[in-house]
Amino acid sequence: MIDGPNRRNIRPPPPPPPPAPKRETQPQQVANKPRGFSPASAFESPTSKRAPVALTTPFAARTDTPAFTPAAARTDGPAPAPGQHGFVGQTAAPAPGDPGFVGPVATPPEVLEASREVEQAYASGGAEAAAEELREQAEELDDPAKVDALISSSQETIDRLSTDLANGARENSVDQDTNREALRDLDATMNLAGEAGKDRVATSIAQKLADAIPAGSDQLWQFDDALGELAEDGIGSTLSARVAEKLINDFGRVEAGNALLNTSTDAINEVRADYEAKAEDLSKVEQRLNEELGQLGPALTPEEVEAYKEAFWERPENAQIRDEALAAGDKLSETLAASTEQLEALAAQGDTDAQKTLFESYSALAKTPNHADEALLFAGRINQNAGLANALRGEYGEDFEKKLADELIAPAVGNAQAEAIAEAGEGGFDAAMEKFASLVSGLETAQSLHDIPGDFRQMMDDIRAIRAGTYSPDQAQDLLNSWDDKSPLGKSLAVATFGLGLYDLPSQLAEGEYLEALKNTLTTSAAGIELTSGILSTIGKAGAAADVAKFGAKFLPILGLGADAIQAYQDIQALRDGVSPGDIFNLAGSVVSLVGDVAGFIPVAGTAVDVVATVLGETLRLVGGLLNGDFGPDLEDFDLGEVRDILHETLGLSDAEVQLLVANTKNGYGERLQELGLEPEQIRELLTQTEPPLFAFSGGLGDYVPFGNPNPMFETLAAFGLSGDEAFRFIQEHGDALAAFETVIADPYNAEASLGNALASGDFSAFREHALDVLPDDVADALRPYLNATPDTEYFEN
């Protein structure tokens, strides 16, 4: 009986293989994988390259079965002789020139030359020189198939190199520097190779180590020490994981294999830690962008929002943080993909380091939009591999399925869906649904997981029902009624249901009563606001990750939902009590960002432009209101230098104009002017006026500070029914009379003529007469033509 660590010698049924590293793209892949990361568009780097996703077919299981089965001997008479009818036997292979002749595949001359260079390097410089030359030649070939051919042609040299390293591990005769550099180069070569090349190198090293290291020994001297040193830089996991798996499962060197496996998991964990730190840095930058856009938004057109975002990410310091986070995520994906098949096999056999490394690394990838699909596919492999599922359950306890659902699958679903939508592009819902369905197919049928598959089947059914118009508002209400009891996965799947279900909704549903009924249900409760915020976050990532020039209008049903949610928050007191300003601010930030992405790519006239205009107005109006209260960025936390530079570049504003714009929007004046119906350009013109400044005071040295309170003037204009261009012209001419308007609103001796009484009674005549009596003659004369106009009572509802 084999017990303890030697159990790893028992090979379980081979698990389904993981996807190949994404750099090894297969030709059948249709679309490139998009960029994207967060509600504010984290990973929009135009310089970083990333291969499309490609899933490889499973490798054939090793077998001793003959390649052909001989024909059974005849039992009913003599066997036909060669040339007779019915003869079955070997036939001569076609000769050169005959039809069907296939000669040996010639090795490309550049590969043969590269192989000779590797051989010469070994002859002149030994193992370290040969490994370096092998890596350099592989980089020059830059083709996995050619690198595989190079490794095959150089097999004898690689075997000699492996023997030198293995003997050094046995005798402690190769110093750590030599081991480190040789192993670094071999690992790099394996990362450039295809599966066949990786397997050849790993087999060579494992075989020579097995020959050199006594059974039961884990003493590899400076061989594993060198790999441990490389692991500190996140290097070497491809080589160490594959060699470790072969030592354990092919050559019975469990202890030596475990020593190498430790270096593999250390390397992956180092890469993961680096990614998580860089992702945190990026999150802070994105939050700053949201704050800047939220505050300045009322004074920016949709096109100017987009220009601001572009300028923000073009700043070297912001671009560096974004690109480093993107590169770190790509490195984690590639490092994990290179060894995940071996780690999953070892995890299924009980190796706790492999189990933890897999779970924690895929949980990190779940939080990225351009690698979250890999996390979903990993979860699917767990469902389909009883050995792996049971081993993970043994490590994490009976609640493992809940841990998997809430910590890995829940964040992965929305990010993977955003990626599917962005990748689908002009293909719209059908292409996005096909991609998304392929990612979750491994989770729809209960195999090793019990509860999760049923939830995924329900999600897919509900998406199809929304598309068919058969998912009723009552069903949506039932979902919201149970919202507080839902797990993180339950909420994530609900967001995914509506995110994909409403995306690119057929016109007969989007333009009829069906969409309005769903929107009304989703925007009248705190649960609905939370759900809507999740939907907009997901769709915002898709918009940021893709070129929406050709399919931006497909986002419009969801943009309309966002506008309704923001309006509902303003109109329904219960929502103000049940929804935090922070949640609404995040919703607003997602919508502002997406509007910026869509701006300029919609029809010049018609429903589409109306929806975007409504969304932008409602969103930025809300954000301005939030910033005018207790929520929002403090000026000391607002990067004034960054804002100044960007507004210089995109709008040509002077330092003084930037200072005025930032201060006035901080006080909420932009939002109030927007409620009066002014356009962004008009708002910006008023708030940046310097000769004289309307709502600020200048000491004559170009330094402006807020002065006065224009809100009483805004309220008076609304009471007289002025809006849009009329309000804009009035403020231009009389905006310096702030003190007089304060008297109109705050006069304690005219209760019957107060604004409050007018709002309560609906009769504004007494208030208007009082205002004309109190205001200076020129101001009163400008208002007199509006004495009988319809008041703008909606202004006072916000």
Side-chain angles (χ1 to χ4, degrees), residues 105 124 143 148 154 197 234 278 393 481 526 530 558 603 608 624 727 774 787:
V105 178
S124 61
D143 178 351
D148 285 357
S154 304
K278 287 181 168 61
R393 197 172 281 116
N481 290 341
E530 184 179 343
I558 297 174
V774 172
L787 192 61

Side-chain angles (χ1 to χ4, degrees), residues 13-22 53-59 268 332-348 354-355 357-359 361-363 365 371-393 400 404 408-409 438-449 452-453 456:
K22 294 179 181 179
V53 183
L55 303 183
T56 61
T57 55
F59 298 114
I268 294 173
L332 176 59
S333 168
E334 293 164 2
T335 301
L336 192 57
S339 54
T340 193
E341 180 181 357
Q342 291 71 34
L343 290 177
E344 287 179 19
L346 295 169
Q355 293 162 359
T357 296
L358 286 167
F359 186 84
S361 296
Y362 278 114
S363 294
L365 289 181
H371 294 294
D373 56 341
E374 298 159 39
L376 279 184
L377 293 172
F378 171 66
R381 294 198 296 277
I382 293 174
N383 182 41
Q384 296 166 4
N385 184 342
L388 181 58
N390 290 334
L392 289 167
R393 197 172 281 116
F400 168 68
L404 175 69
L408 189 151
I409 299 177
S438 72
L439 297 178
V440 304
S441 61
L443 291 166
E444 289 189 76
T445 303
Q447 296 183 42
S448 299
L449 302 176
I452 293 173
F456 270 87

Side-chain angles (χ1 to χ4, degrees), residues 78-88:
Q84 292 181 338
H85 177 71
F87 170 75
V88 178

Side-chain angles (χ1 to χ4, degrees), residues 265-434:
T265 54
D266 286 349
I268 294 173
N269 291 334
E270 189 69 30
V271 173
R272 187 187 74 248
D274 180 63
Y275 160 71
E276 290 173 339
K278 287 181 168 61
E280 176 65 22
D281 291 341
L282 178 60
S283 177
K284 295 175 182 177
V285 175
E286 292 168 341
Q287 180 62 29
R288 191 173 75 247
L289 172 61
N290 279 341
E291 290 175 350
E292 292 173 8
L293 284 175
Q295 181 167 318
L296 301 171
L300 303 177
T301 66
E303 293 81 2
E304 289 164 350
V305 168
E306 181 63 13
Y308 190 101
K309 288 169 58 181
E310 290 179 2
F312 180 93
W313 289 116
E314 286 173 357
R315 292 176 65 82
E317 60 273 26
N318 295 339
Q320 180 178 351
I321 292 173
R322 176 201 59 199
D323 293 345
E324 286 180 352
L326 174 60
D330 287 347
K331 183 176 181 181
L332 176 59
S333 168
E334 293 164 2
T335 301
L336 192 57
S339 54
T340 193
E341 180 181 357
Q342 291 71 34
L343 290 177
E344 287 179 19
L346 295 169
Q349 293 171 246
D351 191 279
T352 57
D353 284 346
Q355 293 162 359
K356 291 179 180 178
T357 296
L358 286 167
F359 186 84
E360 292 171 4
S361 296
Y362 278 114
S363 294
L365 289 181
K367 298 177 178 65
T368 70
N370 55 339
H371 294 294
D373 56 341
E374 298 159 39
L376 279 184
L377 293 172
F378 171 66
R381 294 198 296 277
I382 293 174
N383 182 41
Q384 296 166 4
N385 184 342
L388 181 58
N390 290 334
L392 289 167
R393 197 172 281 116
E395 170 62 23
Y396 290 105
E398 288 303 313
D399 289 337
F400 168 68
E401 185 167 347
K402 182 178 186 303
K403 181 180 181 69
L404 175 69
D406 293 344
E407 296 181 20
L408 189 151
I409 299 177
V413 168
N415 287 323
Q417 186 180 87
E419 183 179 3
I421 291 172
E423 183 177 324
E426 294 179 78
F429 169 80
D430 290 338
M433 182 66 165
E434 181 179 0

